[in-house]
Structure formats: structure tokens, C-alpha cells
Amino acid sequence: MMDRAEEEINNIIDEKQISPNLIHVVPGDITKPNLDMDITYQELFINNIHYVFHLAAIYALAVPKSIAFNVNVRGTQQVNEWVKTLNHLKRYVYFSTAYVSGKRTGKILETELDCRQEFKNHYEQTKFEAEVLVDQLKVNIPTTIIRPGVVCGHSKTGETIKFDGPYFMLNLMDALKTFPIPYIGKSDAYGNFVPVDYIFESTIYLAHATKGEGKTYHLADPNPYRMREVYSMLMQEFLGKMPKWTTPLTLARLSLSLSVTRKWLRVEKESLDYSRLLAEHDCSQAVQDLKGSGISCPDFKEVVPAIVQFYREHKNHPQYQIKID
């Protein structure tokens, strides 16, 4: 992804009018010792790195187990070992996911991790296993663990890097726009959607705040809407109409078991599991520690126009659509 990284950095330099010398891309591989970095960089970093943000992961819901384990678990093991070599580290920030809770239901606390839960897919399981490894470092390494909910576009611009999560609903609506579109199943599940700018701003603040050391945070919506409400909001904004009927979830899953249907609708079958998950990811600690920072999670209803507009403008661009098998 070197070319993509260089392109993004050039965009940042132009937009922010900063010196090109402030950002450097270092090629490597997190699944290998010392992240497979050139020895020159390794020697430079040992005494000069203060903050590490570990975001590298495979997070497709349909990812095969072997790939997920290699990147998410083995990769995190290697990053952990490398972090231990840094002599002046002030904070190690690990990006997990709220869905390390797996199939658990009810209120899920930020202080909870291993509750003998089962998982819906290999993504969840390997992110859980990776977080367990990072959590063990808290005793000796200044660590903050971030568990985002389902990340959507920027609250003001709608910009995102790929159309997954809530965008699967928009993909479905786009494919079926000439038909009466149904709700998918009946459920009281809540949607856990958070704008990407809230994730970044909160993480940057908590990564530098003394009170963030040694803690795990759910960066989730403290006032979430139910999935049916989210679905209705998106359809109203995108198509100017509302769902008129409901199709059984079992029928939807059966339809998405066919590759041709998945590719037509541009929806992963695994995404349906989240439309009926009766879990509430408590984010009291995050809300408390963000007080006074001016950072808060926007009301999802206020974000919908921006993310729908960005989707409308870029829905046919292959850069944003994920590959559906």
C-alpha cells in the first residue's frame, strides 16, 4: 500500500500546508520480527519514538481464519514485542473493536474482555485474541485500548475510505431502488454507528491524557438508535421513501448465501448478524474522560445527510466498494 500511502500524505501536505519532512513512510510487515523494517529505521526508532498507534488489521467480516489470525493476532504479537524495545515510549494505543464482545447481549462494560463469549466470525475472534495480548502489557507499558463501534463517514463531509458497515444498507437500497424495499427482519437491536472524526479526535485526546493510561474505551454512540430507525433514516435521506414491509431475516440470509446475490446487492452475508445483536456497549468511561475536551459523539441523525451525500457521489467508484465474494 506504499503508493496509496504516498498519495494520502501528499494530499495532507497540500491541504494542511505543512513541510514534507514531517511525515515519513516506512515500509514493513507487522507479521514479522521488528516489523520487517530496515535496520537503519530500527536503530533510529529505539530512542526517538514516543507514541505508537497500532491500527493495522484485517477487518473484513468474511475474512478467512488463517489470514485473520496471521495479521490480527500474530501481527499484534510482533508489534507488542517491538513496542517493548522503545526506550522512551509515552503511550501505546491499540485499536480493537467493540465487537470483541462477540455474541454477548445486554450491557457490555469497557472493563470487561474475556467473558467466555462466542464469536460471530473470525474477525471478531482474532481481534479479541489480539486485545488479550495487548491488555497484558498494561502492567509494564503505558497502554490505551480503543474499541470503536461501527465507523461511518466524517460527520461534516461524509468522507470514508470504504463502503462497509452502514453502507451495506445503502448498497442494498441502491440495488433495489426501483422496487418496494423491505425492512430486513424484526429486531430491537441498536445500531452502534460513530463518525470517523469522533473516533480520531477522541483517540488523539485520550492518547495524550494522563487519565487515559491503562484504560480501555468504547468509542460508541452513547445514545444509539435502533437498527430499524437507522435503516429508515438512511432510506428516507437516500431515496426519499420509507420501508413498507418486512422480509424475514432467515430469507435474507438464504438469499445472501448465493454469491450472485451478494455481488448484485454488494452486501456481505455476515453483516446481517449485527442487525439483530441485542448488545449495549456502555461507554461511560469514555464519556467521563472526554469531559472538558469539547469532544462528543454527534447524533447519528445529524450525520446521515453527509454520509448519504458522499455515498451518492462515490457509490460507483471501485476505490470505496469492498470486494464481495
Side-chain angles (χ1 to χ4, degrees), residues 34 41 52 65 109 120 135 144 155 169-170 176 186 190 221 225 229 251 272 281 292 304 321:
N34 292 315
Y41 286 115
V52 173
K65 183 177 181 179
L109 304 180
K120 297 184 287 298
D135 195 65
T144 301
S155 63
M169 290 184 271
L170 290 171
L176 299 177
K186 295 181 179 180
Y190 285 100
D221 188 342
Y225 291 92
E229 295 175 302
L251 181 59
L272 294 179
H281 291 88
V304 166
Q321 292 288 352

Side-chain angles (χ1 to χ4, degrees), residues 108-230:
I108 297 164
L109 304 180
E110 293 158 297
T111 52
E112 297 174 324
L113 179 54
D114 189 352
C115 296
R116 306 298 182 188
Q117 63 268 43
E118 296 180 346
F119 301 96
K120 297 184 287 298
N121 48 60
H122 300 310
Y123 162 69
E124 288 184 351
Q125 182 168 359
T126 55
K127 290 296 288 184
F128 163 79
E129 293 174 8
E131 184 178 326
V132 168
L133 297 175
V134 177
D135 195 65
Q136 294 169 352
L137 296 184
K138 287 180 177 177
V139 176
N140 300 309
I141 301 289
T143 301
T144 301
I145 295 175
I146 302 295
R147 293 180 188 161
V150 180
V151 182
C152 62
H154 193 285
S155 63
K156 299 296 191 297
T157 67
E159 184 176 1
T160 186
I161 61 171
K162 72 174 187 175
F163 293 145
D164 59 0
Y167 301 95
F168 285 141
M169 290 184 271
L170 290 171
N171 281 346
L172 181 145
M173 294 170 193
D174 188 50
L176 299 177
K177 58 179 175 285
T178 58
F179 304 97
I181 304 174
Y183 285 108
I184 308 298
K186 295 181 179 180
S187 173
D188 290 328
Y190 285 100
N192 186 1
F193 303 115
V194 282
V196 65
D197 46 317
Y198 171 66
I199 300 296
F200 284 160
E201 290 170 6
S202 300
T203 298
I204 292 169
Y205 176 82
L206 296 169
H208 293 82
T210 302
K211 56 189 171 186
E213 182 177 332
K215 290 181 182 176
T216 298
Y217 295 104
H218 280 150
L219 293 186
D221 188 342
N223 300 295
Y225 291 92
R226 296 191 186 278
M227 284 295 294
R228 287 173 71 90
E229 295 175 302
V230 171

Side-chain angles (χ1 to χ4, degrees), residues 157-158 170 237-238 304-314:
T157 67
L170 290 171
E237 183 67 29
F238 184 43
V304 166
I307 66 175
V308 169
Q309 182 60 31
F310 186 86
Y311 174 84
R312 184 178 283 115
E313 294 172 356
H314 299 88

